[in-house]
Amino acid sequence: MSATDPAGAGGGGPWLLEARHLTKRYGAVIANRDVSFGVRPGEIVALLGENGAGKSTLVNVLYGMTAPDGGTLLVDGQPVRLRSPRDALARGIGMVHQHFMLVPPFTVAENVALGHEPSRHGAIDLATVEGRVVALAARFGMEVDPHAVIRDLSVGQQQRVEIIKALDRGARVLILDEPTAVLTPQETEGLFHVLRGLAAGGTSVVFISHKLGEVLDIADRIVVMRRGEVVGEVSPADATPESLAAMMVGREVLLRVEKAPATPGEAMVVLRDVQVAGDRGGRAVDGVTFEVRAGEIVGIAGVQGNGQTELVEAIAGLRPVAGGSLWLCGVEAQRLGVRARAALGLAHVPEDRQRHGLVLPFSVADNLVLNRYHLAPLAIRGVRQARAILDLARNLVARFDIRPPIAEVPVQALSGGNKQKVIVARELSHDVRVLVAAQPTRGVDVGSIEFIHRSLVAARDAGAAVLVVSAELDELMSLADRVLVMFRGRVVGEVAGSEATREGIGLLMAGGGRQLGDVET
Amino acid sequence: MAPARPGIALRLDAALVPVLAIATALVAGGAILWAAGPQLEGPWLGLQFVAVAYLSLLEGAVGSRDAVIDTVLRAVPYAFSGLAVMLAFRGGLFNIGAEGQLTIGALFAAWAGFGLDLPAVIHLPVVLATGCLAGAVWGGVAGLLKARTGAHEVITTIMLNYIASQLAAYLLNGPLRDRSPLNVIAQTPKIAEGARLPDLVPGMHAGVLLVVAVAVVTWFVVWRTTTGFELRMVGANPDGAAYAGVGVVRRMTWALGASGLLAGLAGAVQVAGVNYRSTLGFNVGYGFDSIAIALLGRNTVSGVLLSSVLFAALRTGATKLQFRTQVSADIISVIQALVLLLVAAEQIVRWLYRLQAARAVAPAGDDEGREVAPVTIGSAETARTSK
């Protein structure tokens, strides 16, 4: 039974949008079980929960993207059936997806017009749209140029365009799916400012997140989901990060990583003026110099797209080093292949686990030996040894608590957290001298995050040099012994983990720091 | 969360769609037969006519010793080239070039058969090996083009098909043509007696045994060796393979070469076991049909073997069907096309029979909702990924 009963909730007036006893199944999985949820005019409601808790399913139902198996939706107290997002929009429900639905080569106005283009004599009447964009932007304190091309806008600005798009279609309820995942702390502040303005003007906001601090900051009301059910509803005034985490996970969780001070040894990763080309040409990494020593964790902070991805791929051997030099474990490594680097003791937890880290249709066992399948005893003279592979896999599944604990299932059947555990288990199960972990906890549930953090610290304590790239500042601040900040392909600052503050790092992330050896910016 | 025996359930589900596709195609083919047949009074006679047509098809395919032998012999090249297409598919590559590789394999096998003067013990192996090698080179060219320039294998293998057929026309009319005054067509001389496949039973050459052996080896390589693991990794997720240290481009080149080798073997076995020479315009179409066979067989070894026999039986039985009903044997092409259509667009079958989707769409996961394509066709990007 859910703790929320919107119909009986006292105070605050009528619901603008309300869901009663929603149930949604995907095959054998119940994504939403008897969920009741509501939002009042001008209210900011945070929907908090781990990955897989059912937040996305709930908002997909609210936005007409999936039909519920049971339960009712009400808009202004009237039962409605939403067959498509178009239906939802017609009733004033708009959504900003985590991955923006914008056409990059089009202008802001063209994107806003897309799908309901006003026409005059058969030609698109963009001037009208441009006027509306300017008016909306001015009203809610957003700086948006209707003539700007989406491709040239920052992620934060693109998000504004998405919001304007929804408002332009008459949204009275705005659903935002993990809107801060791609923003700097400053951009997040800016977004919150806009959201508060919207709420003050009577627009309702449903804000999905798994970041506790933000939720406490922005929400009028916090609804917590776990395993497809609403497990509680609190006011930010009565909640702490610890209490919210406990509600999300269902048990007490260590939010800070407990670790002894680092005892750095020999430099295991050495970069000297490293340059790496980006996908679209140009230098994604533009002269980066740093070291990671044995027994320390170095974190790299930065807004997505400032060269961290390319840097990690270059260290891992997936992308050529275009200039400068790279040394791993005392060996010059920029010309070595992936396998040669692995032989030196390099382990790599890749940023995109679906694309690089796993082969989804393969079994958990095959994924656990994905980069060591050719070594004895897993293969002898080119023939794979099923027994040895399964023995190793079962051992790792047990040690790393991978669920379900069956090595034969395809890895795509696992949850995000367990997929990540498969990768971590594989990379940490052999002699690791250098560990490069990119976004090790992205999309991973709080319980698994704790586990992965402990594993990284354990690798450090065992003498490995650990490099962690993360978009989560809290993670870096508690995990790393030193934090480097990247901006536009360069390292623009370094802070000791113990002295790092969100504001300090945030400023550097936005390019406001001392630009080491950088003149023209 | 997970079913106790996922393997069994998945395998049953995998076989279900092809079987339903065949059944549906036969029903639809029956309707076409009815329409194409003589004017008949009432539905009863019509149904009888369709029944007679299919019974003659069956009789023509397996109704006598000769019919069975015919079907088996026809299934042999289907099986070799079906395995060829399957192997490339497992590596995420769409080998449209089995047709050309088979032609080239037959051409060079025939040359080795009449042009070389070798003792009988080694002449046959040399003929088969020459066909394999020629096919492997023809497939490998597409692989190299992909590796070096990123050229898509679908395009290059189609182009290589044209080159192969023109090359065959030139060689069979020119340097390799049988110069005997009695010969009036574009073909090579007959190959030496010692270069021919012996009969397993009268009328059926020993290539059948070779199919079984090659099928077992192919299965072993794909499912039990590190090479096959790399191949399947490259096919399922080239980025993941590059991450795991596999030379993606090298493995793709290998896959097209190995695929060409099997298709070349198909041509060589036709020469050594059936035709005893290479003739322009013979053995045409096996390579293209084999794409359908690999798809229908779900890119599994056993599936390919079963589909080969089915396609061969349809082709063999078609003659009797035409003889009995006066409906053109081309009706078989229509049925085969329907099977292929229904397998390729399996949603149609799932909709017709209200089957559940093979994979439930992502559960509640927040970032796990991305669809995973079952077969990724390698693209130009993948060629660039690995170093």
Side-chain angles (χ1 to χ4, degrees):
Chain A
M1 184 56 217
S2 72
T4 345
D5 187 7
W15 300 109
L16 176 49
L17 170 65
E18 186 189 351
R20 283 189 195 157
H21 308 296
L22 284 186
T23 297
K24 176 71 193 175
R25 289 186 196 83
Y26 289 104
V29 183
I30 299 184
N32 274 181
R33 186 201 301 269
D34 193 23
V35 170
S36 294
F37 175 83
V39 54
R40 298 185 186 89
E43 186 187 33
I44 301 180
V45 185
L47 198 52
L48 182 70
E50 302 189 79
N51 279 303
K55 305 177 307 247
S56 289
T57 304
L58 173 58
V59 297
N60 283 345
V61 170
L62 295 179
Y63 190 51
M65 291 181 24
T66 44
D69 298 319
T72 343
L73 277 181
L74 298 97
V75 176
D76 298 320
Q78 299 298 312
V80 292
R81 175 170 294 189
L82 304 177
R83 285 182 193 82
S84 66
R86 202 170 265 269
D87 267 9
L89 274 167
R91 296 179 196 281
I93 303 162
M95 180 158 170
V96 175
H97 295 268
Q98 195 174 356
H99 303 285
F100 302 149
M101 312 275 173
L102 296 169
V103 186
F106 283 18
T107 66
V108 170
E110 283 168 337
N111 270 282
V112 170
L114 205 64
H116 66 163
E117 305 86 353
S119 64
R120 185 187 291 173
H121 313 305
I124 294 187
D125 179 18
L126 271 181
T128 311
V129 184
E130 284 162 8
R132 293 206 306 256
V133 170
V134 171
L136 278 170
R139 198 169 135 210
F140 296 107
M142 296 184 264
E143 269 180 41
V144 174
D145 172 9
H147 304 289
V149 174
I150 296 295
R151 215 181 8 221
D152 303 334
L153 298 181
S154 73
V155 176
Q157 288 169 315
Q158 293 187 19
Q159 195 171 53
R160 303 276 198 281
V161 177
E162 283 281 17
I163 293 174
I164 288 179
K165 226 170 86 181
L167 295 175
D168 185 57
R169 282 160 168 72
R172 294 179 292 150
V173 180
L174 195 59
I175 303 169
L176 298 122
D177 189 3
E178 302 262 1
T180 59
V182 289
L183 303 181
T184 64
Q186 278 79 6
E187 283 178 313
T188 300
E189 256 322 303
L191 171 70
F192 284 5
H193 182 73
V194 169
L195 294 183
R196 289 195 188 98
L198 285 169
T203 306
S204 309
V205 175
V206 178
F207 181 93
I208 301 177
S209 184
H210 63 262
K211 295 186 187 171
L212 308 169
E214 290 178 355
V215 163
L216 286 168
D217 194 12
I218 184 80
D220 299 321
R221 200 153 55 85
I222 302 169
V223 175
V224 183
M225 291 188 73
R226 186 191 338 137
R227 297 189 180 194
E229 297 182 53
V230 171
V231 292
E233 180 181 326
V234 285
S235 137
D238 308 329
T240 63
E242 285 74 19
S243 72
L244 286 178
M247 277 171 90
M248 276 166 73
V249 185
R251 63 178 168 84
E252 293 300 317
V253 179
L254 269 181
L255 287 180
R256 281 198 77 82
V257 186
E258 291 191 336
K259 62 182 191 346
T263 49
E266 226 180 309
M268 302 298 278
V269 183
V270 179
L271 285 86
R272 293 271 172 264
D273 195 28
V274 165
Q275 296 170 358
V276 185
D279 281 335
R280 293 214 211 135
R283 285 187 200 150
V285 176
D286 192 10
V288 161
T289 299
F290 67 85
E291 307 180 341
V292 187
R293 299 177 168 275
E296 72 168 346
I297 299 180
V298 172
I300 293 191
V303 180
Q304 246 177 54
N306 275 282
Q308 307 94 311
T309 303
E310 290 83 0
L311 178 68
V312 166
E313 288 186 1
I315 295 175
L318 290 172
R319 195 179 273 270
V321 173
S325 62
L326 166 71
W327 298 68
L328 293 173
C329 309
V331 178
E332 188 162 11
Q334 69 259 30
R335 302 226 172 278
L336 298 180
V338 171
R339 199 154 278 176
R341 296 186 203 200
L344 289 175
L346 174 71
H348 173 206
V349 176
E351 175 178 330
D352 188 337
R353 63 170 165 267
Q354 314 255 32
R355 191 172 145 212
H356 284 118
L358 300 169
V359 177
L360 292 178
F362 284 16
S363 68
V364 168
D366 278 347
N367 274 287
L368 281 168
V369 301
L370 201 65
N371 46 15
R372 276 181 300 150
Y373 61 90
H374 57 293
L375 303 173
L378 303 176
I380 295 171
R381 271 177 249 107
V383 178
R384 304 186 73 217
Q385 304 296 313
R387 195 71 252 165
I389 294 167
L390 212 53
D391 283 348
L392 175 78
R394 289 196 173 134
N395 181 351
L396 289 179
V397 164
R399 248 174 70 201
F400 286 80
D401 190 28
I402 293 164
R403 286 179 230 179
I406 309 167
E408 292 92 338
V409 294
V411 79
Q412 65 195 0
L414 271 53
S415 71
N418 280 295
K419 280 182 187 148
Q420 191 70 352
K421 280 193 204 165
V422 169
I423 296 175
V424 171
R426 178 181 71 216
E427 296 304 307
L428 293 184
S429 60
H430 49 107
D431 273 345
V432 179
R433 302 179 71 199
V434 174
L435 172 62
V436 179
Q439 316 292 356
T441 58
R442 172 180 288 173
V444 168
D445 53 278
V446 176
S448 302
I449 289 176
E450 194 187 356
F451 184 88
I452 290 167
H453 283 170
R454 269 194 272 127
S455 304
L456 294 180
V457 172
R460 179 200 77 162
D461 293 344
V466 182
L467 182 67
V468 179
V469 177
S470 176
E472 311 274 344
L473 281 192
D474 294 326
E475 170 168 271
L476 288 179
M477 283 166 14
S478 75
L479 197 58
D481 302 307
R482 293 189 286 140
V483 179
L484 307 175
V485 184
M486 280 189 79
F487 178 70
R488 294 197 181 154
R490 298 182 175 214
V491 173
V492 294
E494 175 178 338
V495 243
S498 51
E499 296 162 13
T501 59
R502 294 186 69 81
E503 293 68 33
I505 294 180
L507 208 59
L508 290 167
M509 281 165 71
R514 58 198 159 103
Q515 306 260 316
L516 299 180
D518 188 2
V519 206
E520 71 277 353
T521 320
Chain B
M1 149 146 214
R5 305 287 301 274
I8 305 281
L10 282 176
R11 236 165 274 170
L12 275 181
D13 184 65
L16 191 59
V17 169
V19 167
L20 288 175
I22 293 164
T24 312
L26 285 176
V27 171
I32 297 169
L33 270 169
W34 189 340
Q39 292 285 324
L40 292 167
E41 295 285 324
W44 180 237
L45 279 176
L47 278 178
Q48 274 187 314
F49 173 75
V50 172
V52 166
Y54 277 142
L55 280 175
S56 28
L57 181 68
L58 192 67
E59 194 192 329
V62 294
S64 65
R65 186 180 171 283
D66 283 355
V68 171
I69 286 180
D70 257 15
T71 297
V72 171
L73 284 185
R74 215 184 269 265
V76 168
Y78 275 146
F80 282 126
S81 45
L83 290 171
V85 176
M86 180 207 92
L87 190 76
F89 251 132
R90 285 287 169 192
L93 298 162
F94 217 147
N95 180 14
I96 311 289
E99 183 79 15
Q101 293 145 15
L102 187 150
T103 303
I104 293 294
L107 208 54
F108 281 84
W111 167 78
F114 75 81
L116 301 179
D117 191 15
L118 295 168
V121 205
I122 61 160
H123 204 169
L124 174 63
V126 166
V127 164
L128 296 179
T130 308
C132 287
L133 188 69
V137 167
W138 214 246
V141 167
L144 280 178
L145 284 172
K146 188 173 182 83
R148 289 286 156 79
T149 69
H152 202 287
E153 75 280 359
V154 168
I155 307 296
T156 53
T157 51
I158 290 175
M159 295 303 160
L160 283 163
N161 283 342
Y162 289 121
I163 298 174
S165 73
Q166 295 305 315
L167 186 65
Y170 164 70
L171 290 175
L172 293 174
N173 281 306
L176 296 187
R177 186 182 169 112
D178 181 3
R179 296 291 168 200
S180 105
L182 293 176
N183 178 39
V184 292
I185 60 174
Q187 62 182 11
T188 63
K190 284 205 164 188
I191 60 174
E193 293 280 344
R196 299 178 187 178
L197 273 164
D199 275 0
L200 188 62
V201 294
M204 185 164 80
H205 63 75
V208 180
L209 291 181
L210 203 55
V211 167
V212 176
V214 166
V216 170
V217 170
T218 307
W219 175 85
F220 185 81
V221 168
V222 172
W223 295 103
R224 286 290 178 271
T225 65
T226 52
T227 306
F229 188 66
E230 290 180 7
L231 176 80
R232 290 183 289 118
M233 225 194 294
V234 167
N237 180 357
D239 291 317
Y243 160 86
V246 176
V248 175
V249 166
R250 221 173 41 119
R251 191 47 71 207
M252 284 182 170
T253 310
W254 177 89
L256 282 171
S259 179
L261 182 145
L262 291 176
L265 182 57
V269 167
Q270 285 305 92
V271 166
V274 181
N275 315 125
Y276 300 139
R277 58 171 27 134
S278 174
T279 307
L280 191 61
F282 270 39
N283 299 320
V284 164
Y286 285 119
F288 289 125
D289 282 354
S290 64
I291 298 167
I293 284 166
L295 282 176
L296 181 62
R298 288 280 166 127
N299 292 308
T300 61
V301 169
S302 52
V304 164
L305 295 182
L306 288 172
S307 309
S308 302
V309 172
L310 175 79
F311 268 51
L314 287 173
R315 287 275 168 220
T316 314
T319 321
K320 187 136 248 165
L321 183 146
Q322 176 167 3
F323 179 73
R324 285 269 174 79
T325 63
Q326 303 303 313
V327 174
S328 164
D330 291 335
I331 183 73
I332 294 312
S333 300
V334 175
I335 293 175
Q336 285 181 351
L338 282 169
V339 171
L340 181 59
L341 178 76
L342 292 170
V343 169
E346 78 172 57
Q347 285 308 325
I348 301 176
V349 173
R350 293 194 177 278
W351 174 77
L352 273 175
Y353 298 96
R354 305 290 187 271
L355 298 180
Q356 281 222 330
R359 200 178 321 105
V361 196
D366 282 352
D367 75 330
E368 312 301 336
R370 290 180 240 176
E371 282 279 346
V372 186
V375 177
T376 348
I377 295 170
S379 60
E381 281 89 336
T382 55
R384 186 178 49 73
T385 337
S386 88
K387 196 67 201 134

